[in-house]
Every structure is written in C-alpha cells, then in structure tokens.
Amino acid sequence: MRKESYIGGIAARTGVQKWLVALLSLAILANLFLAVKVSLTTDKTRQTIVPPTITQTFWVDDGGASKEYFNQMALYVAQLNYNVTPFNVNYQHSQLLKYLSPSIYGAAEKELRSTENYIKSNNMSTWIAPRFIGTDENSKVTIVEGEFVAAQGDKIVQRENKTLEIKFSFESGMVSIISMRDITNQSTNQDPNVKANESTEASQKPSTESK
C-alpha cells in the first residue's frame, strides 16, 4: 500500500512539473514573438516645426501644410539670415542652420561663417523690411521681397531691394530648407502660382536687437 502511494505521489508531482514546464515554454514563446514584432515595427515620430512668432492661422498634416505656414516660416528664415549685428550674428545663423537640409548644410555653413566674420570685423548691422511674401503650395517655394539695409556703426552704407527664394521640403511633419538663394538680379516676373501674404505687404523693420 505504501509502495503504491509513493509511486502515485511521484507520478502526481511529475505530472504537475510537466504542466509547469509546458506553461513556461508557452510564455517564453509568446515573449519572443512580441520581441520580434516590436523589433520589426518602425515607430515614426512626427515633429512639426513652427516659427516662434505666429501671426496667421495655418494647417499642417502628414501630407503638407498651408501657404500661411510656409509664409511665416520664410519670414522667420529671412530674419535669421538678414537681421544681424556683431552681437547676435552667431546666434541668428546657428538657428538658421537648424532648418537646413543636409544636402546644403556644409556649403551654407561655410558661407554663413564667412559672413559672421565680416559682420563682426567691420561692425556691420543689417536688416530686411519685407514688403511681399508669397508661396507656391505645389512646389513649396516661397518668395520674400523687401528693402535690405546695411549700416556700419551708425551710418547707413547700403539700401536696396532684395528678393530671397526659399524652397522647402516637407515630409511627415518635418520641414527643412533644400534651397535658399538671392534672386534679386534675376527676372522679377512673379509666378502666378505664388500667392501673396497680404499681412506682410506693408513695409516693416524687424528688430535687430542683440540676443
């Protein structure tokens, strides 16, 4: 009787152990499956960049943005590029570089550093007063036109109209500049697809205070 009970106990314990092993194996397989699924899943994080000062409402989604968004971004970029003094030029240009595509970053950085040296060594201050901003929503090209002024110390040494063309790339909420060039001396025939930003057609002098 004792022998039969002993054998029965061993069988019972062995059965329980097999059940636990099977359960543990299933849990391990489930964890492995989840790990593989997570590793193969690409999480896309959308980051929409907006200018620090917003004067118009706009919309942004994964597919693109309204012309008001590009107009305000272009105004901000133009101010970073042109509204400089010996005291803030490094800061302004460092902020501008954050928006540049890797395809133009190297050449643009070299040019901006050269401008910084010139501004500081000659005690120059420059600014632009935009009169017109317009965007072609299809090509994501924005035109900024305005009066550019340069001063050496407290003396104005240059005053002229400038036209800046900025081309944006917009993917999954991420905006970058893939082209930025002065087209002042090129044809001024406006593309009919470029729509004006009426709020900036009146001349205004952006701040050139140091940061």
Side-chain angles (χ1 to χ4, degrees), residues 37-58:
K37 184 177 181 180
V38 169
S39 66
L40 294 177
T41 302
T42 302
D43 294 327
K44 294 183 179 180
T45 301
R46 187 177 73 176
Q47 179 183 6
T48 301
I49 302 175
V50 297
T53 302
I54 298 173
T55 58
Q56 289 184 312
T57 58
F58 57 82

Side-chain angles (χ1 to χ4, degrees), residues 39-106:
S39 66
L40 294 177
T41 302
T42 302
D43 294 327
K44 294 183 179 180
T45 301
R46 187 177 73 176
Q47 179 183 6
T48 301
I49 302 175
V50 297
T53 302
I54 298 173
T55 58
Q56 289 184 312
T57 58
F58 57 82
W59 59 264
V60 177
D61 61 25
D62 287 339
S66 64
K67 68 180 180 65
E68 290 81 10
Y69 172 82
F70 292 110
N71 285 344
Q72 293 181 84
M73 283 299 303
L75 175 61
Y76 179 52
V77 167
Q79 291 172 340
L80 291 176
N81 188 51
Y82 290 123
N83 293 5
V84 297
T85 72
F87 305 101
N88 77 350
V89 64
N90 290 85
Y91 174 83
Q92 293 285 86
H93 287 176
S94 67
Q95 295 303 302
L96 175 58
L97 287 169
K98 294 179 180 179
Y99 296 93
L100 302 187
S101 166
S103 63
I104 67 169
Y105 187 97

Side-chain angles (χ1 to χ4, degrees), residues 156-175:
I156 302 266
V157 295
Q158 183 181 1
R159 188 189 296 271
E160 65 176 358
N161 292 324
K162 272 194 179 293
T163 303
L164 182 67
E165 180 192 80
I166 304 170
K167 187 170 184 178
F168 294 97
S169 172
F170 191 93
E171 297 181 3
S172 300
M174 287 293 293
V175 64

